[in-house]
Amino acid sequence: MSSSPLSKKRCVSGPDSKPGSNCSPAHAVLSEVPSVPTNGMAKNGSEADIDEGLYSRQLYVLGHEAMKQLQTSSVLVSGLRGLGVEIAKNIILGRVKAVTLHDEGTAQWADLSSQFYLQEEDIVEDFLSEFQVVVLTNTPLEDQLRVGEFCHSRGIKLVVADTRGLFGQLFCDFGEEMILTDANGEQPLSTMISMVTKDSPGVVTCLDDARHGFESGDFVSFSEVQDMIELNESHPMEIKVLGPYTFSICDTSNFSDYIRGGIVSQVKVPKKISFKSLLASLAEPNFEMTDFSKHSRPAQLYIGFQALHYVCAQHGRPPRPHNVEDATELVTLAQVVNARSLPVAQQDSLDKNLIRKLTYVAAGDLAPVNAFIGALAAQEVLKACSAKFMPIMQWLYFDALECLPEDKEALTEEKCLPRQNRYDGQVAIFGSDLQEKLGKQKYFLVGAGAIGCELLKNFAMIGLGSVRQVNPHIQVTSHQNRVGPDTERIYDDDFFKNLDGVANALDNVDARMYVDRRCVYYRKPLLESGTLGTKGNVQVVIPFLTESYSSSQDPPEKSIPICTLKNFPNAIEHTLQWARDEFEGLFKQQAENVNQYLTDPKFVERTLRLAGTQPLEVLEAVQHSLYSNNIRQLLHNFPPDQFTSSGAPFWSGPKCCPHPLTFDVSNPLHLDYVMAAANLFAQTYGLMGSQDRAAVVTLLRSVQVPEFTPKSGVKIHVSDQELQSANASVDDSRLEELKATLPSPEKLPGFKMYPIDFEKDDDSNFHMDFIVAASNLWAENYDIPPADCTRAS
């Protein structure tokens, strides 16, 4: 038994293969691969809890319910060349219940161009009923149709994927009645309302501090509406958007009068979508448009791929690379296919040049194209299992013809002939000259996380560089240094001058901009990429040809007013941002200020020159009790029945009236906050922490906290404009008092504090524990629904 994840060896047939050798004829590989690694996770098929640490980012995108659906799904992947293995890898990483791999055939040298599970030395209907999803790759059209009809009639979801050199094809059939629970996966929108008319239809006006973001056809529900109580009691209702701040709802003419208040929230309503079978979709195709600069190509490639299936079936092989005779045959057959197509699919003019290029590269097999189509196919499998995110409806076509050289004479049939090595699938497309150039390239990959590992894999498969186990012919040097100004002695002029290019796989903008500046300075190409949940971006930077990464930036995100964060939050995003700011102020900035005071004689002098009230904020080390004292002071200044100068209730619109919390040692959230805050404070002082909750509970029961009494004369700013005006005046006497009471550095010899840099991906450092507990306590003050750790991350 091979150590390969396929559990079976596939035999490489070469020119010297003989009957009776270890190379067997075409055979089937059938093996079930557990999709969960043996790392303490639950076994397949169990209903155990999901490891939120391991799958935190996927949980954020899909949610717990969708992940539970994945845990009960079994998937069959048929066809294990490069594309099939790419799809299987992605599905397994998504944590479905089980993935069964199926393949028939003998491995060829060309498979090694993209099949990263193979090594050079490696070179039925009842059955289908067991699966929720079937994936077909590298399958003849006749077999696709047979399996497609069976799956459609049995309600089994089907994904068909194919790559041909620089071209890719994807088809989805998820049945006639698929229930989609969430079309986009985004968090439901919510906003405050300021007015609802009594009309048919009623018109809802939102507060003008932010656009509502709804779309016509969305469903919404209402809460906390005063007097027009019928809205609070109604079922989710469909809306029609009238403007950025208004939308219409049902007939409200018989409702009570609207007085004030209310929150409108988007509701994700399940909807039914219907798919045609593969046979029906071949006759009347629906195309998913991905590149509007190539809007006519999907319909053209739909004809071309059908003709390609017929050619492969007739000759038992794909067209020969850059062979004019084979190209002419395929173009002729494509014209026949087009003529026989129904009017809805028939093309007025067949793009013969496009079909000819499809013929020239169809024998090729590229790891990057397989990675792209494989990722899309695996994503569709997750959609099929989870019923979340809108699936592809139903055909998707892709091409990367831009990769071919502009000089049409650069590639000839002779240059693209197989060499009986692992790069034959690539040579068939680009020729042997480019392969030699790739082997001599020196690239610097910065970052080795999720994207970095994918890049390393693809670099290895194309012969550029990666781990030696995948490709023994490459040369790799790994570094663990942070790339930045402090390591320029390592990544110096000589280092960059010897590079042919740089690939970024970083997770923050500052690091990206630094590497971009270095590439601009040394005139090196840069491949920039990033992901955020289901969204992703790629930017190719070529010296003197394209703009650099830093040349344009995303518009700044709308900031949350300081007064909203400190006193008037109305959404969980506000309390999360407040908790994040608290972390910086309590565990980083304060420690940094103390260390500067102790080591820099001019620290106080520089601090006193800061604008506004900053000197007081920096120098004033005041012990404050959150969640109770601040709220009591706020309610002392602005009681629940407070009215503004215009006679309107102060606590209305975006201002939610809070209530103080009383510490309860038996409340898990209260204890979570104390545990996290105490351990983080201990760390800033260089002390050992404790994770013994029982011991901490015992200690807390003996702590006596003085009763807080709100003070008169304390100014609480209602708006940021009011806050800015107040910043102009500083209490000089208070500053002098602080300067006099601060201990001199000489009295604290050797003392230092340890600032903490926030890191959300370490479950043992108490950082996210503090953020979640602090945010949810602040949210509880204002009756805002809490957020779990996954959403908070």
Side-chain angles (χ1 to χ4, degrees):
M1 184 69 71
S2 169
S3 60
S4 165
L6 301 185
S7 299
K8 295 272 188 171
K9 286 191 176 181
R10 302 183 72 206
C11 185
V12 178
S13 63
D16 299 327
S17 297
K18 300 176 183 179
S21 70
N22 290 331
C23 291
S24 63
H27 61 277
V29 174
L30 274 176
S31 60
E32 186 165 306
V33 179
S35 69
V36 183
T38 55
N39 58 353
M41 299 286 295
K43 293 182 179 179
N44 290 330
S46 74
E47 297 297 329
D49 292 337
I50 300 165
D51 187 331
E52 295 190 1
L54 183 60
Y55 290 98
S56 59
R57 299 190 180 187
Q58 187 167 317
L59 276 168
Y60 174 75
V61 176
L62 295 178
H64 280 82
E65 288 304 315
M67 284 290 290
K68 290 178 181 177
Q69 293 293 327
L70 294 182
Q71 284 183 274
T72 62
S73 299
S74 298
V75 180
L76 168 67
V77 179
S78 179
L80 294 176
R81 297 187 67 193
L83 177 60
V85 170
E86 188 71 41
I87 295 171
K89 176 207 70 178
N90 291 329
I91 296 172
I92 291 169
L93 290 175
R95 199 181 191 256
V96 298
K97 175 184 176 182
V99 178
T100 298
L101 309 177
H102 168 265
D103 184 75
E104 293 184 356
T106 303
Q108 306 293 328
W109 276 109
D111 291 335
L112 296 180
S113 295
S114 60
Q115 220 283 18
F116 48 85
Y117 281 157
L118 286 177
Q119 305 297 328
E120 293 189 9
E121 63 271 16
D122 287 332
I123 298 283
V124 328
E125 290 189 351
D126 288 339
F127 173 69
L128 293 177
S129 301
E130 302 175 11
F131 301 97
Q132 285 76 45
V133 185
V134 172
V135 182
L136 299 180
T137 70
N138 306 109
T139 308
L141 181 58
E142 180 181 354
D143 293 342
Q144 292 179 9
L145 291 170
R146 178 172 57 83
V147 174
E149 286 303 296
F150 178 84
C151 290
H152 191 81
S153 65
R154 300 297 198 281
I156 301 171
K157 298 173 177 65
L158 174 70
V159 176
V160 179
D162 235 336
T163 57
R164 299 287 183 171
L166 292 169
F167 295 86
Q169 176 195 58
L170 195 62
F171 171 79
C172 295
D173 171 15
F174 295 165
E176 296 180 0
E177 295 187 352
M178 179 186 181
I179 304 300
L180 187 66
T181 59
D182 186 350
N184 60 18
E186 300 289 342
Q187 290 290 337
L189 300 171
S190 181
T191 188
M192 314 285 291
I193 60 178
S194 61
M195 183 61 193
V196 183
T197 65
K198 293 181 63 175
D199 208 342
S200 180
V203 176
V204 179
T205 302
C206 302
L207 293 175
D208 58 5
D209 61 339
R211 297 169 180 259
H212 54 62
F214 299 135
E215 297 179 2
S216 294
D218 284 350
F219 285 78
V220 300
S221 63
F222 293 85
S223 61
E224 301 181 26
V225 178
Q226 296 192 30
D227 293 299
M228 192 181 276
I229 59 175
E230 295 88 347
L231 286 178
N232 296 332
E233 300 168 352
S234 66
H235 295 292
M237 57 185 69
E238 189 173 359
I239 67 169
K240 180 181 179 181
V241 172
L242 304 177
Y245 306 101
T246 58
F247 58 87
S248 62
I249 53 174
C250 61
D251 184 356
T252 59
S253 55
N254 294 322
F255 286 8
S256 307
D257 290 335
Y258 173 83
I259 302 299
R260 65 174 181 272
I263 299 173
V264 57
S265 302
Q266 185 182 36
V267 178
K268 299 294 182 75
V269 177
K271 65 178 181 178
K272 183 171 69 175
I273 55 177
S274 180
F275 292 78
K276 293 181 287 190
S277 69
L278 177 59
L279 181 62
S281 191
L282 271 177
E284 296 181 322
N286 297 316
F287 301 114
E288 192 85 41
M289 188 63 64
T290 60
D291 188 343
F292 288 96
S293 67
K294 302 176 179 179
H295 64 91
S296 64
R297 287 193 184 176
Q300 297 280 344
L301 292 175
Y302 156 81
I303 299 293
F305 266 80
Q306 288 185 69
L308 191 57
H309 275 293
Y310 295 138
V311 166
C312 292
Q314 181 178 349
H315 296 289
R317 59 165 176 79
R320 290 164 291 185
H322 298 273
N323 182 276
V324 176
E325 180 183 347
D326 286 0
T328 302
E329 179 186 6
L330 187 66
V331 169
T332 302
L333 187 53
Q335 291 173 322
V336 174
V337 172
N338 186 47
R340 293 177 179 174
S341 298
L342 294 179
V344 68
Q346 195 173 88
Q347 301 302 298
D348 295 333
S349 176
L350 199 63
D351 189 340
K352 297 179 182 179
N353 186 45
L354 178 65
I355 303 300
R356 195 173 290 110
K357 289 180 179 178
L358 172 62
T359 314
Y360 285 161
V361 303
D365 194 19
L366 283 182
V369 175
N370 286 334
F372 177 69
I373 298 297
L376 289 179
Q379 188 169 274
E380 294 308 302
V381 172
L382 298 185
K383 293 177 184 178
C385 296
S386 66
K388 190 170 183 179
F389 297 103
M390 178 63 72
I392 290 174
M393 304 287 293
Q394 290 185 258
W395 292 97
L396 180 144
Y397 287 92
F398 167 81
D399 74 82
L401 290 178
E402 301 84 359
C403 297
L404 291 175
E406 296 179 2
D407 182 7
K408 297 181 180 180
E409 306 300 324
L411 295 176
T412 64
E413 183 177 0
E414 182 181 356
K415 290 183 178 180
C416 298
L417 290 175
R419 266 63 173 172
Q420 301 302 322
N421 63 42
R422 67 178 302 121
Y423 303 116
D424 280 354
Q426 198 160 289
V427 170
I429 300 171
F430 299 116
S432 54
D433 292 347
L434 177 63
Q435 193 59 53
E436 292 178 7
K437 291 180 181 178
L438 285 174
K440 298 175 182 177
Q441 295 286 298
K442 292 183 178 179
Y443 256 72
F444 184 31
L445 174 60
V446 189
I451 294 179
C453 290
E454 285 291 327
L455 288 173
L456 283 170
K457 179 204 69 181
N458 287 326
F459 286 168
M461 302 312 296
I462 67 174
L464 188 68
S466 182
V467 288
R468 193 173 300 275
Q469 184 178 355
V470 175
N471 184 350
H473 301 295
I474 53 79
Q475 300 294 326
V476 171
T477 302
S478 61
H479 290 214
Q480 294 184 347
N481 308 304
R482 180 181 179 274
V483 178
D486 52 340
T487 55
E488 289 182 2
R489 68 187 185 282
I490 300 172
Y491 308 113
D492 54 12
D493 292 354
D494 291 337
F495 178 85
F496 270 91
K497 287 178 181 178
N498 288 326
L499 295 177
D500 293 295
V502 178
N504 266 355
L506 297 163
D507 61 357
N508 67 87
V509 174
D510 291 340
R512 288 184 169 110
M513 293 181 69
Y514 172 79
V515 175
D516 176 68
R517 291 195 299 271
R518 300 289 279 174
C519 289
V520 169
Y521 182 81
Y522 291 106
R523 302 178 182 179
K524 300 297 179 183
L526 173 65
L527 306 178
E528 166 59 38
S529 58
T531 59
L532 179 63
T534 58
K535 305 175 182 67
N537 70 280
V538 174
Q539 183 177 353
V540 179
V541 180
I542 307 295
F544 309 112
L545 185 62
T546 68
E547 70 173 9
S548 68
Y549 173 79
S550 305
S551 297
S552 61
Q553 298 182 26
D554 293 336
E557 295 183 6
K558 185 177 180 180
S559 60
I560 304 171
I562 296 175
C563 289
T564 298
L565 294 178
K566 294 181 66 175
N567 299 314
F568 309 112
N570 56 64
I572 193 64
E573 289 78 12
H574 299 163
T575 64
L576 283 168
Q577 183 61 57
W578 174 86
R580 182 70 179 84
D581 293 345
E582 284 293 295
F583 185 99
E584 290 294 307
L586 293 173
F587 310 122
K588 184 178 181 181
Q589 294 171 0
Q590 181 172 298
E592 289 177 341
N593 289 338
V594 169
N595 289 343
Q596 289 185 55
Y597 170 73
L598 294 175
T599 59
D600 186 353
K602 296 186 177 181
F603 173 72
V604 174
E605 180 184 338
R606 284 201 319 273
T607 300
L608 293 175
R609 290 201 296 266
L610 294 175
T613 60
Q614 290 184 76
L616 273 176
E617 293 172 357
V618 174
L619 296 180
E620 191 171 34
V622 179
Q623 248 182 347
H624 61 284
S625 179
L626 305 174
Y627 314 114
S628 179
N629 295 0
N630 285 2
I631 296 298
R632 293 179 192 278
Q633 184 67 58
L634 182 64
L635 291 175
H636 176 77
N637 285 39
F638 305 108
D641 56 357
Q642 175 91 3
F643 285 86
T644 65
S645 58
S646 63
F650 178 84
W651 295 106
S652 63
K655 294 185 177 68
C656 302
C657 186
H659 58 86
L661 304 180
T662 301
F663 179 74
D664 180 2
V665 72
S666 62
N667 187 314
L669 182 59
H670 294 193
L671 187 58
D672 286 346
Y673 175 80
V674 172
M675 289 291 297
N679 275 278
L680 290 170
F681 267 123
Q683 187 178 337
T684 62
Y685 285 94
L687 304 174
M688 289 292 294
S690 172
Q691 298 191 29
D692 189 341
R693 293 174 72 92
V696 172
V697 168
T698 302
L699 181 63
L700 288 172
R701 294 188 190 280
S702 64
V703 174
Q704 297 295 321
V705 180
E707 182 68 25
F708 174 77
T709 303
K711 301 176 182 178
S712 300
V714 175
K715 178 65 175 175
I716 295 179
H717 306 293
V718 177
S719 67
D720 280 12
Q721 292 83 357
E722 192 177 300
L723 177 63
Q724 291 171 1
S725 300
N727 281 344
S729 60
V730 180
D731 188 346
D732 292 332
S733 61
R734 176 59 179 155
L735 278 176
E736 291 300 322
E737 180 184 343
L738 282 171
K739 287 170 59 180
T741 56
L742 284 173
S744 64
E746 292 78 11
K747 295 182 178 180
L748 299 169
F751 177 79
K752 66 176 293 188
M753 294 189 70
Y754 301 88
I756 301 175
D757 291 315
F758 180 71
E759 171 53 64
K760 71 179 180 66
D761 292 326
D762 183 350
D763 295 334
S764 64
N765 62 10
F766 288 103
H767 295 194
M768 282 306 302
D769 298 279
F770 175 83
I771 296 294
V772 173
S775 170
N776 286 341
L777 285 170
W778 197 232
E780 188 177 343
N781 281 133
Y782 291 85
D783 296 315
I784 299 171
D788 60 19
C789 188
T790 301
R791 184 180 175 190
S793 297

